[in-house]
Amino acid sequence: MSDLTRLSAADLASRIASREVSAVEVATAHLDRIDAVDERVHAFLHVDREGALAAAAAVDRGEITGPLAGVPIAVKDVVTTKGLPTTAASKILEGWTPPYDATIVERLKAAGMPILGKTNMDEFAMGSSTEYSAYGPTNNPWDLGRIPGGSGGGSAAALAAYEAPLAIGTDTGGSIRQPGAVTGTVGAKPTYGGTSRYGLIAFSSSLDTPGPCGRTVEDTALLHAVIAGHDPRDSTSIPQPVPDVVAAARRGATGDLTGVKLGLVKEFAGDGSEPGVLAAFRESLEALVKLGAEVVEVSCPHFQYALPAYYLIAPSECSSNLARFDGVRYGLRSGDDGSRSLEEVMSLTRDEGFGPEVKRRIILGTYALSSGYYDAYYGQAQKVRTLITRDFQAAFEQVDVLVSPTTPFVAFPFGSRTSDPYQMYLADLFTIPTNLYGGPAISVPCGLSEGLPVGFQIMAPTLADDRMYRVAAALESAVGTFTPPAL
Amino acid sequence: MAAISREEVAHLARLSRLAVTEEELDRFAGQLDVILQSVARVGEVAAEDIPPTSHSVPLTNVYREDVPAPSLAQDAALSGAPDAYEGRFRVPRILDEED
Amino acid sequence: MTTIALPSYEDATSRYETVIGLETHVELGTQTKMFCGCKTDFGAEPNTQVCPVCLALPGALPAMNGAAIEATIRIGLALNCDIAEWCRMARKNYFYPDMPKNFQTSQYDEPLCVDGHVDVVVDGKEYRIGIERVHIEEDTGKTLHVGGATGRIHGATESLVDYNRAGIPLVEIVTKPVPGLGELAPEVAKAYVAELRDIIRSLGVSDVRMEQGSLRCDVNTSLNKPGEEWGTRTETKNVNSLRSVERAVRSEVIRQAGVLDGGGKITQETRHFHEDRGDTSPGRSKETATDYRYFPEPDLVPIAPDPAWVAQLKSELPEKPSTKRARLREEWGISELDMQSVANAGAVELIEETIAAGASPAGARKWWMGELARRANELGIELSAAGATPAQVAALQKLVDEGKLNDKLARTVLEGVVAGEGDPAEVMAARGLEVVNDTGALTAAVDEAIAANPDIADKIRDGKVAAAGALVGAVMKTTRGQADAKTVRELILARLGVS
């Protein structure tokens, strides 16, 4: 029974389709696994045994077929699920149950994928360690005293703990990729606009991108194909057809990268990466060269401003996006004892309901948008964004993809980066540039450093999601996958 | 660039409807000061003639037809309401006049 | 507190120059809201025309109503504006419970239409009102304030919010400041709003009814001494009718003159107009102007209207109300001054429709500019709400033309129509008001009158035909006015052998 949780999504899908195993058996195996280990991992905020089994049963009755029919999935709690609590890991939404499904959730349901539950995250997707969840952190299955990354630590940990074969994450500055890197799993950020944001609780609207997470590149690609595609309810949703990422992944798995040019970003070279991370990264590069790829050094001179630009743009947009949490229509209302005005009740509600990182970013964003400061901060950051985009475009004229370590450090111990917020921000150093550009990027496990996973990041031009899957699959074929110690 | 003062943080907190405690004010002022000095680096870039990017997707003119779609039923609309009365959301007395 | 002695309006405008500006919001009559597919019907049960988007539930996203963009462009074109080649929506950030996102999606420094004008005529003179900008935004929900004495915010203990109206498309039209109007500022302001309303109504994009809130007006006023810079201006809200526009400007001019005369300074503030008192009172003063922290709306992509499409919309614009009025003036054969009165009374379309229903221009004008205008003025309501439809008026006039009613009877029938008793023919029958044409009955009444007034009859026989009037009166009395006076007169004269 338990080895069903060790199988890939692709494998599970084919066994369910051939009726070798039932979808209910598969869902049950994963739900039992969650029961067995999640007290220690704390990947889930809510488990929906009844709903998952009902969805699985529908697949067994032959009501739904498809490439991933019957394969269970975990969904980051920042995405609305009708009838299932959705909190964005915040106290301000404790107990809120959405009356509607996000578009990507509708697609999961239409694909016959039982939803096991909602996964833990940094509050409102702001963070790189899941330590800012209002409901307690998630523990990295590789070492329970270490962070699983963030903001999507719950989804990544669920995969690494074999609680789910697939998971949905969202990536604004690296929130899919960095958790993937530190948990030894695959996490992909599609081209911005490639996956619908309708139903994604907004953090930074021009950067937020829902994406697929899995333990293998092929699994991730299969999920990508289910959730991606145009949505008329999201005006920033791109109209172009979804590139054939599954075919690209399978092509890459044959291990031939002849003629593919990998761009090494000069400006990332010395940036405070741990030696173990750099070592694993370089070995992987060599492995790719052995497969026929060529490494070219490129210069992206404005990448050094990506982090500061991001920490102006994202907080600004979030200060506006989070204004709706005011205790009027849903969520927490605090201090309404009949003596206070609405303004006071709103302020008390928000101070009680939001955690410190969220409050910091709201204040920072309000500042950056203030008249008198707008030009120097938010306005200037948007210009830097243009320059970063031009750096990418220029680089992609020379190379096919850009590569880097996903994050400068392996999973760090709890509490080691929370006293100085900026130290936490540094985890996103390599992931942020592509969010500002809007291009796709993926993190693939590439090695270990002192027993902890290292991630390899591949960035592709906008709309060329298939290209990154090809290179990712090739790397995976060379280095294999990595299994954490038993829980 | 200038540091951010405790008073400014208090003002911003009021603007964003956050009833921060004194202790939070102290903590945030210091932290935000550090963060602001770091992000102010964007000012080092010469960008006078560079157009700002507000959208990374090159789309324009995305419209919806003026055709009705189903609305939520009243009880679903009010389902999350902390306080409701006869079909409306109830809030305590409002100080500011409508703009 | 000392009360300031107020000058008269004439005195104030003789010593101060005025600058006015108007900001108007038009609620578009689209089927659905600006950013979602919820219906826009008036009067629905609270919170039944809402969805995740207009309720601002977590995760919701806006999707722009194409018809609203087209309507805004057409309004801009009708106001002689240039249409932006590329522009964006922006977020206007502030907290208020009727605004679910706690920001309004609007436009900031990139409005869809700029730099137009509207021409109005007041007292035979033409004035050009510059249009600064026209942009699209969304309406807020409705708040009921409970517990206070007046139903307004002051003194309320709680409020109840309905979001049915939240998200309905709103077009904002801002004029350039208009100096140099002198004492005619109130009339020009009123004429501008009336003309704006007529132009927008002719486009069919809104029913622009001030009393229903689909046309809302804020008026800005400032005073300055001749030769000096423009003064501090105040903004007056809650101006809910054309008459109020005029009165609001007038009262603000007087008030500001009083303050300035007393050596005081005008506070830049928002004031509230009181219909019943005809004056304004200050709103809650704010220490500093609100910083809305505008930034481009990231959830919506830019608007870049195709120039060819804009040109086509321009070519398809309907006849301008002023052109139409000139054309109708000629058709109806009336003077410019008379036409202006018709326009001022809001009677142009009503008369036009009455003529289309079969009445003559003179006949149609008589009723709308006469009885119905009188009633509308008395009750302080719009002419179109005076209680009769163009079809009914045309039918009424037809009955007169056919000789079934005389003028006096027709007025009585009209009263019945307005009272809701039915169409003219129905009222006439129900109340038995038809002109008596039965010659036999009339002859009997005439003979009765002659017999009762032998001296007058003699005078008539002697040639004093004018005396017939008294006999006509007697006959009219006998027949309760239900005779045609002319016919009666002829009968009398014939009877007395002098016709």
Side-chain angles (χ1 to χ4, degrees):
Chain A
M1 207 44 159
S2 62
D3 43 45
L4 283 177
T5 63
R6 299 284 156 151
L7 299 179
S8 71
D11 203 348
L12 287 170
S14 84
R15 289 184 198 214
I16 290 168
S18 68
R19 298 190 173 267
E20 187 186 319
V21 74
S22 74
V24 167
E25 280 175 273
V26 173
T28 305
H30 287 90
L31 289 162
D32 290 348
R33 173 74 178 168
I34 293 169
D35 283 345
V37 305
D38 206 53
E39 215 178 285
R40 279 171 289 154
V41 177
H42 194 233
F44 284 86
L45 291 177
H46 182 86
V47 178
D48 183 25
R49 180 171 273 263
E50 209 180 289
L53 290 173
V59 172
D60 288 336
R61 286 194 296 273
E63 287 167 22
I64 308 178
T65 56
L68 287 175
V71 179
I73 187 164
V75 175
K76 185 178 182 183
D77 204 22
V78 75
V79 177
T80 60
T81 41
K82 187 172 177 179
L84 283 190
T86 302
T87 66
S90 177
K91 277 279 186 276
I92 215 167
L93 278 181
E94 186 167 25
W96 183 60
T97 305
Y100 78 105
D101 274 327
T103 298
I104 57 177
V105 170
E106 283 181 349
R107 291 181 184 181
L108 293 176
K109 288 181 175 178
M113 299 176 71
I115 295 173
L116 296 165
K118 310 301 289 297
T119 55
N120 200 12
M121 49 184 280
D122 282 297
E123 187 183 1
F124 284 107
M126 300 182 210
S128 308
S129 67
T130 309
E131 289 173 288
Y132 292 130
S133 166
Y135 299 99
T138 295
N139 306 321
N140 193 327
W142 285 79
D143 177 342
L144 296 174
R146 289 174 185 264
I147 56 99
S151 61
S155 281
L159 293 168
Y162 301 97
E163 293 173 290
L166 291 171
I168 293 292
T170 65
D171 193 305
T172 305
S175 292
I176 286 179
R177 291 164 284 156
Q178 183 256 6
V182 303
T183 57
T185 57
V186 179
K189 183 199 96 63
T191 296
Y192 175 84
T195 45
S196 170
R197 288 184 301 119
Y198 186 79
L200 165 57
I201 298 177
F203 157 30
S204 180
S205 314
S206 73
L207 305 171
D208 291 345
T209 314
C213 314
R215 287 190 294 267
T216 69
V217 174
E218 187 192 24
D219 280 0
T220 308
L222 283 164
L223 180 54
H224 186 131
V226 168
I227 59 173
H230 180 253
D231 179 14
R233 288 181 290 192
D234 175 0
S235 301
T236 59
S237 169
I238 56 178
Q240 287 86 347
V242 185
D244 197 343
V245 293
V246 176
R250 289 179 180 154
R251 183 179 170 210
T254 63
D256 179 9
L257 288 181
T258 317
V260 175
K261 291 208 176 86
L262 312 173
L264 201 54
V265 179
K266 192 173 95 178
E267 286 77 10
F268 279 168
D271 256 314
S273 293
E274 288 171 355
V277 168
L278 279 176
F281 174 71
R282 286 201 191 101
E283 279 170 35
S284 306
L285 263 186
E286 282 163 26
L288 289 171
V289 168
K290 285 207 182 77
L291 296 179
E294 188 192 330
V295 177
V296 176
E297 195 186 66
V298 295
S299 173
C300 297
H302 299 97
F303 278 22
Q304 58 168 315
Y305 300 105
L307 197 74
Y310 173 85
Y311 278 102
L312 282 169
I313 292 170
S316 296
E317 293 184 353
C318 104
S319 70
S320 179
N321 285 326
L322 266 60
R324 65 189 61 197
F325 298 98
D326 59 6
V328 172
R329 282 146 293 121
Y330 43 80
L332 179 74
R333 182 187 289 189
S334 182
D336 186 12
D337 60 3
S339 73
R340 296 196 173 96
S341 69
L342 175 62
E343 288 83 353
E344 288 172 274
V345 169
M346 262 192 202
S347 302
L348 287 169
T349 298
R350 289 161 62 81
D351 190 61
E352 183 185 322
F354 289 141
E357 182 60 27
V358 169
K359 283 189 272 204
R360 270 192 293 270
R361 296 202 195 187
I362 288 175
I363 292 173
L364 180 56
T366 305
Y367 184 77
L369 290 173
S370 298
S371 102
Y373 295 113
Y374 180 101
D375 289 336
Y377 290 119
Y378 184 79
Q380 181 73 358
Q382 296 282 49
K383 292 181 172 189
V384 168
R385 189 173 176 176
T386 304
L387 292 169
I388 289 171
T389 299
R390 291 181 185 175
D391 282 358
F392 269 103
Q393 288 165 340
F396 286 131
E397 276 171 21
Q398 302 171 58
V399 298
D400 296 304
V401 296
L402 294 179
V403 296
S404 76
T406 302
T407 179
F409 9 90
V410 295
F412 43 88
F414 287 113
S416 58
R417 285 178 185 268
T418 43
S419 51
D420 179 356
Y422 210 77
Q423 286 304 308
M424 187 71 80
Y425 298 166
L426 290 173
D428 298 330
L429 203 57
F430 304 140
T431 47
I432 276 176
T434 200
N435 289 94
L436 294 171
Y437 159 58
I442 191 171
S443 175
V444 189
C446 70
L448 298 175
S449 164
E450 288 173 40
L452 294 168
V454 177
F456 187 100
Q457 180 180 229
I458 302 155
M459 296 168 265
T462 53
L463 303 177
D465 303 44
D466 48 345
R467 203 183 292 183
M468 73 180 181
Y469 276 101
R470 181 185 167 202
V471 177
L475 179 60
E476 184 186 63
S477 75
V479 304
T481 53
F482 301 84
T483 309
L487 273 170
Chain B
M1 285 259 178
I4 188 169
S5 69
R6 200 173 179 280
E7 286 68 45
E8 275 186 289
V9 175
H11 170 66
L12 293 165
R14 264 193 305 275
L15 268 185
S16 32
R17 296 284 191 270
L18 288 171
V20 293
T21 63
E22 292 299 309
E23 186 264 334
E24 277 177 314
L25 253 189
D26 290 331
R27 205 172 3 113
F28 287 163
Q31 290 169 334
L32 286 167
D33 196 36
V34 170
I35 295 169
L36 255 183
Q37 288 189 46
S38 313
V39 300
R41 287 192 61 219
V42 292
E44 290 168 21
V45 181
E48 295 80 37
D49 300 324
I50 308 296
T53 297
S54 55
H55 300 85
S56 59
V57 289
L59 292 170
T60 57
N61 295 327
V62 175
Y63 303 123
R64 175 181 58 82
E65 293 289 314
D66 189 27
V67 170
S71 294
L72 287 173
Q74 194 192 67
D75 55 1
L78 293 166
S79 61
D83 195 3
Y85 178 72
E86 287 185 356
R88 291 184 173 84
F89 295 88
R90 189 203 249 150
V91 296
R93 66 191 166 90
I94 305 164
L95 289 178
D96 289 327
E97 293 200 349
E98 284 118 307
D99 219 21
Chain C
M1 190 178 85
T2 52
T3 36
I4 296 167
L6 295 176
S8 71
Y9 181 76
E10 290 67 32
D11 182 27
T13 52
S14 69
R15 291 181 290 109
Y16 292 100
E17 292 178 342
T18 62
V19 181
I20 58 166
L22 289 111
E23 196 177 294
T24 312
H25 285 88
V26 176
E27 214 175 62
L28 292 181
T30 51
Q31 296 285 316
T32 61
K33 294 187 179 183
M34 186 64 210
F35 299 118
C36 65
C38 286
K39 297 216 292 224
T40 54
D41 299 343
F42 190 76
E45 283 296 296
N47 293 303
T48 55
Q49 288 177 178
V50 294
C51 74
V53 178
C54 56
L55 272 182
L57 295 190
L61 289 176
M64 213 151 29
N65 185 334
I69 298 297
E70 182 176 316
T72 310
I73 292 174
R74 292 179 68 221
I75 290 173
L77 290 170
L79 301 181
N80 303 292
C81 292
D82 295 325
I83 308 301
E85 286 176 8
W86 184 96
C87 66
R88 290 172 294 191
M89 303 297 291
R91 291 192 185 179
K92 181 179 182 183
N93 296 284
Y94 64 101
F95 284 82
Y96 208 79
D98 66 2
M99 219 176 43
K101 295 176 290 194
N102 285 314
F103 62 84
Q104 183 193 38
T105 303
S106 175
Q107 292 194 297
Y108 176 50
D109 52 355
E110 298 165 357
L112 190 46
C113 322
V114 292
D115 208 26
H117 61 264
V118 171
D119 294 328
V120 298
V121 174
V122 175
D123 283 357
K125 194 160 167 244
E126 197 173 85
Y127 296 90
R128 173 157 288 192
I129 315 293
I131 303 291
E132 181 75 47
R133 54 186 281 153
V134 177
H135 76 247
I136 183 78
E137 57 186 35
E138 52 179 342
D139 208 347
T140 62
K142 275 213 184 106
T143 329
L144 285 178
H145 305 299
V146 178
T150 59
R152 285 196 60 219
I153 239 182
H154 196 68
T157 54
E158 60 183 24
S159 298
L160 299 169
V161 196
D162 169 19
Y163 294 103
N164 281 353
R165 196 183 68 177
I168 289 186
L170 220 52
V171 174
E172 180 173 320
I173 301 164
V174 184
T175 69
K176 299 185 180 171
V178 190
L181 296 173
E183 61 190 13
L184 283 180
E187 286 81 358
V188 175
K190 178 182 170 189
Y192 163 74
V193 178
E195 184 69 14
L196 190 66
R197 182 196 59 182
D198 288 349
I199 291 172
I200 294 170
R201 194 179 282 148
S202 76
L203 295 171
V205 295
S206 167
D207 58 12
V208 265
R209 306 187 69 107
M210 285 184 87
E211 71 277 10
Q212 276 184 16
S214 49
L215 176 65
R216 301 169 213 163
C217 223
D218 300 335
V219 184
N220 295 337
T221 320
S222 75
L223 293 185
N224 59 277
K225 285 221 171 79
E228 285 183 5
E229 271 187 21
W230 293 352
T232 307
R233 60 164 190 203
T234 61
E235 183 187 34
T236 303
K237 287 177 152 343
N238 195 45
V239 180
N240 295 332
S241 67
L242 287 177
R243 217 165 132 246
S244 296
V245 170
E246 199 180 330
R247 293 163 81 209
V249 174
R250 193 174 288 263
S251 85
E252 248 320 81
V253 165
I254 291 171
R255 184 193 73 83
Q256 288 192 18
V259 170
L260 292 172
D261 283 350
K265 282 210 175 87
I266 304 296
T267 319
Q268 178 166 20
E269 62 186 351
T270 300
R271 299 183 69 87
H272 184 94
F273 181 71
H274 299 277
E275 291 275 348
D276 49 348
R277 289 161 21 191
D279 67 358
T280 64
S281 62
R284 216 172 100 89
S285 73
K286 299 171 186 171
E287 303 116 33
T288 49
T290 315
D291 176 9
Y292 294 113
R293 302 186 297 286
Y294 288 98
F295 67 99
E297 170 61 81
D299 288 331
L300 293 168
V301 297
I303 301 161
D306 175 20
W309 176 59
V310 173
Q312 192 199 334
L313 288 176
K314 188 167 180 181
S315 71
E316 289 169 357
L317 284 178
E319 186 183 30
K320 268 173 34 187
S322 52
T323 314
K324 177 172 173 173
R325 283 197 294 272
R327 174 173 60 80
L328 291 175
R329 189 181 71 71
E330 264 204 56
E331 279 177 28
W332 300 347
I334 60 176
S335 70
E336 269 195 42
L337 209 57
D338 281 345
M339 192 59 189
Q340 197 54 46
S341 304
V342 169
N344 286 345
V348 177
E349 274 79 35
L350 293 165
I351 292 171
E352 213 192 343
E353 285 167 44
T354 306
I355 294 169
S360 68
R365 266 178 36 243
K366 183 180 91 175
W367 294 110
W368 286 108
M369 297 302 290
E371 289 303 307
L372 291 166
R374 196 172 3 256
R375 180 181 156 81
N377 278 334
E378 262 167 31
L379 298 174
I381 56 178
E382 295 270 314
L383 193 52
S384 51
T389 67
Q392 287 170 333
V393 171
L396 182 69
Q397 185 58 34
K398 185 157 180 248
L399 290 171
V400 172
D401 292 337
E402 286 171 351
K404 293 202 176 125
L405 290 173
N406 58 29
D407 196 64
K408 193 149 169 282
L409 290 170
R411 278 173 219 271
T412 312
V413 167
L414 183 59
E415 270 171 37
V417 171
V418 158
E421 290 166 27
D423 287 335
E426 288 169 348
V427 174
M428 186 177 77
R431 291 203 193 182
L433 290 169
E434 190 164 340
V435 161
V436 175
N437 274 323
D438 175 2
T439 328
L442 271 182
T443 313
V446 162
D447 287 342
E448 212 187 293
I450 293 171
N453 298 281
D455 321 311
I456 301 173
D458 284 335
K459 277 192 191 151
I460 296 169
R461 286 194 196 96
D462 282 342
K464 287 208 175 97
V465 175
L471 290 181
V472 170
V475 173
M476 294 302 275
K477 212 167 154 203
T478 320
T479 61
R480 282 174 295 119
Q482 283 173 237
D484 179 49
K486 197 157 157 270
T487 311
V488 168
R489 192 170 189 275
E490 283 165 13
L491 264 177
I492 292 169
L493 295 175
R495 219 57 179 146
L496 294 172
V498 284
S499 51

